[in-house]
Amino acid sequence: RDVTGVQTCALPIYDLTGSNLDYVRRAFGNLFGQFLNEDSTIELEQIGNSYLFHTGFDFGFLNSASIYDGDRAILEQIIEKVGSWKVKNSVALAGAGLAHANYLKERGYIPSHATPFMVAVVDSRFDDFQLREGLVAKRTETPEDCAINKKMLAETFGMAEQWVEILFNTSFGFPSIYRYMLYDNGVPVSSCLFITQGDFVGCFDVVTPVAHQRKGYGAELMKFMMKEQAEIGSRLIALQSSQAGQKLYRTLGFQVVEYQQQWKMSTV
């Protein structure tokens, strides 16, 4: 634990995956870079070994900096850049970046929580998996399915539908995008997004509406997705979990490799 009382320890990732933590951070941070173009509203930037993600929407987690550098000059450059956005934002500290906790306090940031950064090795454990009777996993491709998925995301994350529309469309239509919904006898009950780059995968937007929670839908969809990734030759899957989601991901073979200390702005 550091001065804020937030747990920050990590497991030796090389023993788990055969890859070092710097590689996994870099691969995860650069996933959305493959979708950037002149029409995109998303900005992605690397400064030192740290990563900035900016949409301009007034949601802190959609304008964020993940800081892994202990260098004060790099930190100040990042904070200046983040401040220029003039919207709500968040900062994550991990690794050498944890040394900057007091500096963030001085700049008006408030410690929020620790996000478990989790990694799983893609292997054969789900090769024989079959969805239980009545369930169907369907890739989100048709206009009808897109509309259902966008509504589910907006309601779950509490975001305006027009913001979800822009973010959804930015990462839609690429062969490296695997956005699926799970249906139970025709009723949409869960969804998730996998983004691949080479043999590395990032998992995002795992949502199950409140009315359908505690029925195993999230686990069913994740197992289906992990089986699919094994079939296409993926090697590692990484995700940022909520504290509540850890239990599910551990049952799927994910392990915490570090806790990323989250800070939010007190004011814009």
Side-chain angles (χ1 to χ4, degrees):
R1 297 177 183 272
D2 70 355
V3 294
T4 66
V6 176
Q7 187 176 0
T8 56
C9 64
L11 294 177
I13 189 171
Y14 189 84
D15 293 341
L16 170 66
T17 68
S19 299
N20 64 54
L21 186 52
D22 285 339
Y23 163 76
V24 176
R25 290 169 177 162
R26 182 172 64 254
F28 192 79
N30 287 332
L31 279 171
F32 280 97
Q34 61 189 307
F35 311 122
L36 301 183
N37 55 59
E38 60 184 14
D39 298 320
S40 175
T41 62
I42 294 175
E43 296 178 11
L44 186 69
E45 183 176 354
Q46 180 176 347
I47 299 178
N49 293 316
S50 300
Y51 302 90
L52 284 69
F53 179 78
H54 177 225
T55 65
F57 299 151
D58 201 24
F59 267 75
F61 72 94
L62 293 178
N63 307 286
S64 62
S66 298
I67 300 176
Y68 305 113
D69 292 279
D71 189 315
R72 180 66 172 266
I74 291 178
L75 170 70
E76 292 176 348
Q77 183 181 351
I78 291 172
I79 295 302
E80 181 179 358
K81 177 74 175 183
V82 169
S84 71
W85 296 340
K86 300 188 183 305
V87 291
K88 291 179 182 177
N89 62 75
S90 62
V91 174
L93 301 180
L98 290 166
H100 304 309
N102 287 331
Y103 177 86
L104 289 185
K105 280 186 176 182
E106 294 168 1
R107 295 298 297 265
Y109 283 86
I110 301 170
S112 176
H113 61 283
T115 298
F117 188 44
M118 306 184 75
V119 175
V121 176
V122 180
D123 55 27
S124 61
R125 76 187 71 187
F126 298 119
D127 283 358
D128 298 324
F129 171 74
Q130 297 293 326
L131 290 168
R132 67 179 188 244
E133 186 175 354
L135 299 184
V136 175
K138 184 178 179 183
R139 195 165 185 172
T140 301
E141 295 179 311
T142 68
E144 294 76 17
D145 288 339
C146 288
I148 294 171
N149 205 332
K150 291 172 187 176
K151 185 176 181 180
M152 183 183 293
L153 292 170
E155 291 176 353
T156 302
F157 293 131
M159 294 175 59
E161 290 191 17
Q162 64 266 30
W163 292 359
V164 173
E165 178 90 15
I166 295 172
L167 288 172
F168 190 98
N169 292 342
T170 297
S171 61
F172 185 73
F174 294 87
S176 55
I177 284 284
Y178 297 80
R179 190 183 286 277
Y180 273 77
M181 284 194 297
L182 184 70
Y183 294 81
D184 187 348
N185 291 298
V187 178
V189 294
S190 190
S191 74
C192 69
L193 167 67
F194 278 30
I195 301 176
T196 64
Q197 192 164 34
D199 60 3
F200 184 86
V201 186
C203 174
F204 306 88
D205 298 354
V206 181
V207 298
T208 301
V210 174
H212 303 300
Q213 291 178 3
R214 300 187 182 281
K215 298 177 183 179
Y217 292 135
E220 289 284 299
L221 183 54
M222 285 293 293
K223 290 175 183 177
F224 174 89
M225 297 296 291
M226 293 176 76
K227 176 182 178 180
E228 180 178 70
Q229 291 302 312
E231 291 173 350
I232 67 174
S234 297
R235 186 174 68 91
L236 290 179
I237 302 176
L239 57 83
Q240 293 173 315
S241 172
S242 65
Q243 291 289 351
Q246 276 195 77
K247 184 177 180 181
L248 165 62
Y249 297 126
R250 288 184 186 277
T251 66
L252 300 171
F254 285 86
Q255 295 189 39
V256 177
V257 294
E258 71 177 356
Y259 286 88
Q260 298 177 340
Q261 188 186 95
Q262 302 294 328
W263 293 72
K264 61 182 180 181
M265 296 191 71
S266 56
T267 60
V268 176

